[in-house]
Structures are given as structure tokens and as C-alpha cells.
Amino acid sequence: MSSAVHSTEEYDMDIRSLSSSHRHPQDAPYVHKVGLPPKQNLFKEFKATVKETFFADDPLRSFKDQPRSKKFILGLQAIFPILEWGRSYSFAKFRGDLIAGLTIASLCIPQDIGYAKLANLDPQYGLYSSFVPPLIYAFMGSSRDIAIGPVAVVSLLLGTLLQSEIADPAANAAEYRRLAFTATFFAGITQVTLGFLRLGFLIDFLSHAAIVGFMGGAAITIALQQLKGFLGIKKFTKKTDVVSVMHSVFASTHHGWNWQTIVIGVSLLSFLLFAKYIGKKNKKLFWVPAIGPLISVILSTFFVFITRADKDGVQIVKHIEKGINPSSVNQIYFSGDHLLKGVRIGIVAAMIALTEAIAIGRTFAAMKDYQLDGNKEMVALGTMNIVGSMTSCYVATGSFSRSAVNFMSGCQTAVSNIVMSIVVFLTLQFITPLFKYTPNAVLSAIIISAVIGLVDFDAAYLIWKIDKFDFVACMGAFFGVVFASVEIGLLIAVSISFFKLLLQVTRPRTAILGKLPRTAVYRNILQYPEATKVPGVLIVRVDSAIYFSNSNYIKERILRWLMDEEELVNKSGQPKIQFLIVEMSRNQATLYWIFIILYKLTYYNGVSKLVYDPFAFGAAVTDIDTSGIHALEELYRSLQKREIQLILANPGPVVIDKLHASDFAQLIGEDKIFLTVANAVAACSPKLMVEVV
């Protein structure tokens, strides 16, 4: 019993030793005040802010204290990473890259022919886009695993946007191609600019939930578009929404469907889905779904050739132009009405292509535990699209299906892209005439089997469980693409992402804190029902920086908390509220240990990426502007009229500096600013800290 009393007395002395930011004659212990950060030179402060914003990764670190010749070499390696990893390249690595390159080439050739049709271009343009861009990327890209070429979503997006400007691509083929090359050129310019100016964070404004919904909707739209070739329909709608497509399909039921085409399509789609199932069940058989499309093309082409099914209405590719990419420099619009159209389409295509490529690159980089430089990636992707636009290519980016096959095939470096490019080159030079009798149905089946994986039900369900608002964003993007158009779906995705961001900024979370039993820790009473309020004291935590956009809301929300608490106090007969404590940060030690635990959990469980929401931990008031200080002044005056003292707990360095600069600290009294909530409570009502419940 005596030991318990003794420990309680020691605890009481410890609390009282931290209970005030000034000396009490009766207590005498010295207590640390909330520290003011040292004054910084304005230029140095601005320089540090710019560096942290745009150069947080310190890209010039390796250049420090190096001779000029070494800096030149490092500069070349920064632009062309192949010069760095190429020095340690070996035959063992080449063997892995050779196998991977041949495998993804067998997958990309039939896909490229189909994706070109999605973009309303002739088949050879899809192959062109898997020849030049992968070569450029192999020299400039920093990812070892990403496979470059046309992808379904970007092809559909580009085709839809171009068709909105040029209604009939077949009748105006030359003009349509020129606009496609112009859009590709400005897509590359956009990507290079973002990388050079280190503005890659802009692509993060499209939230994960919106991307999941957009990709899922695009996959459904792409699959529905393939019904034209899958069913052998000749007259098909130019629109992409599900209502128009299904109306076009059923309107052609009696006279437009071709049963031979349907048999070919269904048979080969079943084969491709079965091949994917085998690869999924047994990882060692990853090559089965990889070569499935090429086998399908070979078998169906041979079947149509020997049966001459094309004479019975089976639509075939007919002609793919032989030879490597012709120059298209003189076909890019640099003036006239089409210039602005190309710029607009290019910017949209660039952002979607970047989002997909960076996400893929980061995923595989995390799996192999190496660093991916996002800004270098943007420069590499942009450069390859600029060069591609001058060599008859349309927008290329990282393909998830090919990158996954590349990874599983054992690729070691970007040389696998060079191998793939060489195979495509040989195909263009010698093999394209053999595709003459390839049925369109097999291309449709290949595209359908490829895009099915983009509909991620597990991710959508996880989003529903975690955040209902995110799920609304996901479904909004999905239904926008499916029932309206790709542009509308993309607009909805971006709009909802921005709206959520604005909502979190303008309506930050606040919480009433209570004291946890047998501790001096104060936490949200909704999260910890056992936490008890301190009689006569209202403790409110603000979970956001206080800016012009939310300062008025925060002030009014705190006053509403106070009104609610006063009503509750009056009904229950408890002591009147005399102090309002505004908690402006969380305990840093607690956050430190939380992150240490999370890091260990993710590391030992093989999780490649840790994503956290700072609101889940209660983000600190990291900053405040003049509107925020003005709101605090109004709050202080409102509290004075109620005879309630305003107290601040642990403002951060930026905040406390601005509070002193604005004289707000002097207004409320420097002795009313405390290091912790426990200190503030002890100073407000010392007798409440004597007992540890």
C-alpha cells in the first residue's frame, strides 16, 4: 500500500514538474517552454522550401565533391542509365533478357495489331509503336522490368478523342494520322516537361480509387467495342457508351452476325482464357498465356487460309504494310486549327499514359527492391514518344500485361525491350504478309482476354470496405466511362478526386479529447470511450493546417463543440467550462513507434509498399496563415466574452513562429502555450492531476 502511495506521489511530482510554462513560487520546478525556432535568412528559407518541394530526392547528391570529368560521366549516366548498369552486364543477364524479350514479343505482336484498330489506325502503326519507343526507353529508362508499347486504355482514349475531332477516320485517313502523330508529339512534350520541371506529383491527383474505376470502365468499353469483330458485324456504332453499343449489336442480330466468325471468336477466346487460367494456377507455366495470342493468330490464320472462310463473310486483316517505320516529321501539325486539338489530346493521353507507366514501374521496382526515379521515367517516356511521333508511332507507354510477363520470364534489365524491338523489326521486314488472312475475330478475342484483368473486383471491394467516399469516386469514374464516354469518365474521375481533396482541406477533422485511465495521455473520446473528460476543461484537437480555406470552419466547429459541451454541463450539474485547450499536434514519440511497428509488419510480411493516411493518426497543425491567425483572434475574443481562457498545446515550429510574429502569443499570454496537453491541464486545474484513475 505504501509503495502504491509512493509511486503515486512520484507520478504527481513528475506531472507537476511539467505542468506549466512558467515558474510557480509554490512549485519551484523549472519547466521547458515551447521553443521558438531560430530565425532563418529569407533567401535560405526560400531555397530550402524550393529544394524540398522539387528536389526532395537530392538528385545532385552523387555530383558532390567529384572532379569535372567524373561529373560529366555521371551526367551522361543520369540521362542514359544504360551507361551505368551496362558496365556490369553479363552473359547470364543477357540469357534472362533474351528469353523475356522473345516471350513478350510473341505477346506484343498480335496485341499491337489489335490495339492499332482500337486507335482507328492501320495495323502496322501498332507494330511501329513497339519498334522505336522500346529502343529509346531501353537507353533512357530506369525500370528494369517495364515493357513498352501500345496499351488498350491509351489506344481507346486516343481513338475516341481523335474521332471526336475527325468523325470518319476511314474517309480522312491522312488527316487522322497527322492528328494522331501531332497528339503523340505533344504527349511526349508534356511528359518531358513534367519530368524536367520535376512536376511528377501532378499525376498523383488522380486517386487510386478513381484509377481503379476508370480502368474497369475502360476495360468494359474496350471489350464491348470488340463485339464488332467478334460477331462479324460490318455496320457498327461510332459511339463507345454501352447503350449505343448494345443497340448496335442487337440491331444487327438478323442480318449482321456471321456464324463462322462467332465460332472462330468463341473458340479462340476460350483457348486464351484457359491459357490464362493455367498460367495463374501454376506460376512455372507463365509462358503458356504469353504465347497463347501468337498461337491463336497462327492457328486462325492457317484455318482461314485453307478454308477460304473470308469468302463466307469472315472479316480478315487483309494487308499490313511491309517495312520499318517511315518518317512522319513533316506530318506533324505545328500550325493551323489542328495544332491546338493535338495539344489538348496529347496532354490528356500523356497523363493517362504516365499514370499507368509509373504505377507499373513502381510495382515491379518494389518487388525487386530497387529505386525508380519517377522524374527520369517521365523524361524517358516523353523522349520516346517525341521520337515515336516522328517515326509513325502513336502514344506508347508501359503495358501491365507485358511487364508482368517480362518480370515472370526472368528479365534482368531493359535489354529485354531491345530484344522485343528486334523481333518486331524482323516481323515488319519479313513476316507481315503472312498476317493477310488473320481474322479480325482473333484480334478481338486477344484484346478481350487482355483487358479482362483490368476489371479489379478485389480492389473495388477493398475500397468499399475502407472508404465509402473513395468507392463513390471509383463507381463515378466507372459508370462515366461505361454509360457516357472515356472523356466523361476521365473528367468524373479527376473531378471527384479534386473534390475529395478540397473537402479534406476545407473540412478538416476535429475531435474532443479525454484522459485515458491510469495515464497522462489524452485521446479522441470517440475512438477511446473509456477516456474521461476533464471537469471544467474542454480539449479539442485540430487535425489539419489552418489556412484561409478552413480557418472559419475550424473556429465555428470549435465554438459548436463548446456550445454542445456547455449544454451537457448545465444538464448534468458539472463544473462550468473555464478553459478551452486546442491541441495542435500529436505526440511525436507515439507516431515514431507506430511507424516503426508498421514498417516491421510490412517488411516481415513481404508487403512491398506501405501507404498510410495521416488523418488516421491525427495530423498536426503543421502550418497557419494570416486567415488562420485572424480566426484564432476571433475565437479568443468569443471565449473572453464567455469568461473562458484559450490555451494552446504544443504548436509546431512554423506555427509558434507565426504566432509570435503576429503578436497572438502575447495576446493570449505566453504562459498559456504549453508543451503538452497534460502540462496544460495540470496548469489549469492542478488538483485534477493528483489522482491517476
Side-chain angles (χ1 to χ4, degrees), residues 263-335:
V263 169
I264 294 172
V266 171
S267 301
L268 294 175
L269 180 59
S270 301
F271 167 72
L272 290 169
L273 293 177
F274 181 67
K276 289 186 75 172
Y277 174 77
I278 291 174
K280 193 173 182 180
K281 293 293 288 184
N282 189 343
K283 299 298 182 183
K284 293 182 180 179
L285 298 176
F286 66 89
W287 52 271
V288 174
I291 66 171
L294 187 59
I295 291 174
S296 300
V297 169
I298 294 171
L299 291 176
S300 61
T301 302
F302 181 70
F303 175 77
V304 171
F305 176 72
I306 62 173
T307 62
R308 296 313 307 265
D310 55 308
K311 293 184 177 180
D312 294 322
V314 175
Q315 297 176 33
I316 57 175
V317 172
K318 291 183 180 178
H319 174 70
I320 298 179
E321 196 167 317
K322 189 178 177 181
I324 60 172
N325 310 32
S327 173
S328 56
V329 176
N330 59 347
Q331 295 188 49
I332 299 173
Y333 288 111
F334 290 107
S335 61

Side-chain angles (χ1 to χ4, degrees), residues 44-55:
K44 288 183 178 179
E45 187 175 356
F46 176 76
K47 182 180 176 182
T49 302
V50 171
K51 181 180 178 182
E52 189 61 30
T53 302
F54 297 103
F55 305 96

Side-chain angles (χ1 to χ4, degrees), residues 262-494:
I262 296 172
V263 169
I264 294 172
V266 171
S267 301
L268 294 175
L269 180 59
S270 301
F271 167 72
L272 290 169
L273 293 177
F274 181 67
K276 289 186 75 172
Y277 174 77
I278 291 174
K280 193 173 182 180
K281 293 293 288 184
N282 189 343
K283 299 298 182 183
K284 293 182 180 179
L285 298 176
F286 66 89
W287 52 271
V288 174
I291 66 171
L294 187 59
I295 291 174
S296 300
V297 169
I298 294 171
L299 291 176
S300 61
T301 302
F302 181 70
F303 175 77
V304 171
F305 176 72
I306 62 173
T307 62
R308 296 313 307 265
D310 55 308
K311 293 184 177 180
D312 294 322
V314 175
Q315 297 176 33
I316 57 175
V317 172
K318 291 183 180 178
H319 174 70
I320 298 179
E321 196 167 317
K322 189 178 177 181
I324 60 172
N325 310 32
S327 173
S328 56
V329 176
N330 59 347
Q331 295 188 49
I332 299 173
Y333 288 111
F334 290 107
S335 61
D337 295 337
H338 287 305
L339 173 62
L340 291 179
K341 295 176 182 177
V343 171
R344 181 178 62 82
I345 295 171
I347 291 173
V348 175
M351 298 303 286
I352 295 300
L354 273 182
T355 301
E356 188 167 356
I358 298 298
I360 293 167
R362 286 174 179 170
T363 298
F364 291 109
M367 288 181 179
K368 286 192 175 179
D369 193 26
Y370 66 89
Q371 193 66 33
L372 187 76
D373 190 324
N375 292 294
K376 281 185 183 178
E377 284 294 285
M378 292 178 193
V379 173
L381 292 166
T383 303
M384 76 180 192
N385 278 316
I386 291 172
V387 176
S389 69
M390 300 177 182
T391 52
S392 300
C393 304
Y394 72 94
V395 181
T397 187
S399 165
F400 188 82
S401 59
R402 282 179 236 172
S403 299
V405 170
N406 197 30
F407 174 80
M408 296 177 72
S409 301
C411 73
Q412 299 296 315
T413 66
V415 170
S416 61
N417 275 291
I418 298 177
V419 174
M420 178 189 72
S421 184
I422 292 171
V423 174
V424 172
F425 164 75
L426 295 174
T427 302
L428 284 166
Q429 282 290 81
F430 306 109
I431 305 176
T432 50
L434 300 179
F435 291 108
K436 178 180 178 180
Y437 290 100
T438 300
N440 289 341
V442 71
L443 301 179
S444 297
I446 289 170
I447 293 174
I448 291 171
S449 67
V451 300
I452 283 176
L454 295 177
V455 184
D456 197 339
F457 293 103
D458 292 336
Y461 178 64
L462 185 62
I463 291 168
W464 164 260
K465 287 202 304 182
I466 294 174
D467 192 324
K468 301 299 185 289
F469 194 95
D470 261 359
F471 186 75
V472 171
C474 179
M475 289 297 101
F478 176 82
F479 288 119
V481 173
V482 171
F483 287 100
S485 64
V486 176
E487 310 99 288
I488 297 298
L490 184 59
L491 181 62
I492 291 173
V494 173

Side-chain angles (χ1 to χ4, degrees), residues 88 113 202 416 436 505 557:
S88 59
I113 296 171
L202 291 177
S416 61
K436 178 180 178 180
V505 170
R557 189 70 189 90

Side-chain angles (χ1 to χ4, degrees), residues 155-174:
S155 299
L156 174 69
L157 177 68
L158 195 65
T160 305
L161 294 175
L162 290 172
Q163 199 168 3
S164 67
E165 301 296 341
I166 300 175
D168 192 347
N172 303 283

Side-chain angles (χ1 to χ4, degrees), residues 144 399 430 554 634:
R144 305 172 194 168
S399 165
F430 306 109
I554 290 173
E634 291 181 350

Side-chain angles (χ1 to χ4, degrees), residues 466-470 500-513 524 526-527 540-546 550 553-555 557-558 560-561 582-586 612-621:
I466 294 174
D467 192 324
K468 301 299 185 289
F469 194 95
D470 261 359
K500 183 183 178 183
L501 181 66
L502 289 173
L503 191 64
Q504 290 182 337
V505 170
T506 59
R507 293 295 183 266
R509 297 177 184 177
T510 58
I512 292 181
L513 306 185
N524 188 342
L526 294 179
Q527 185 178 0
V540 178
R541 189 185 70 225
V542 178
D543 290 341
S544 168
I546 305 177
N550 61 22
Y553 169 79
I554 290 173
K555 179 198 70 175
R557 189 70 189 90
I558 291 174
R560 286 204 306 275
W561 280 126
V582 178
E583 157 74 304
M584 304 189 90
S585 74
R586 291 297 294 267
Y612 72 94
D613 178 5
F615 289 103
F617 299 118
V621 179

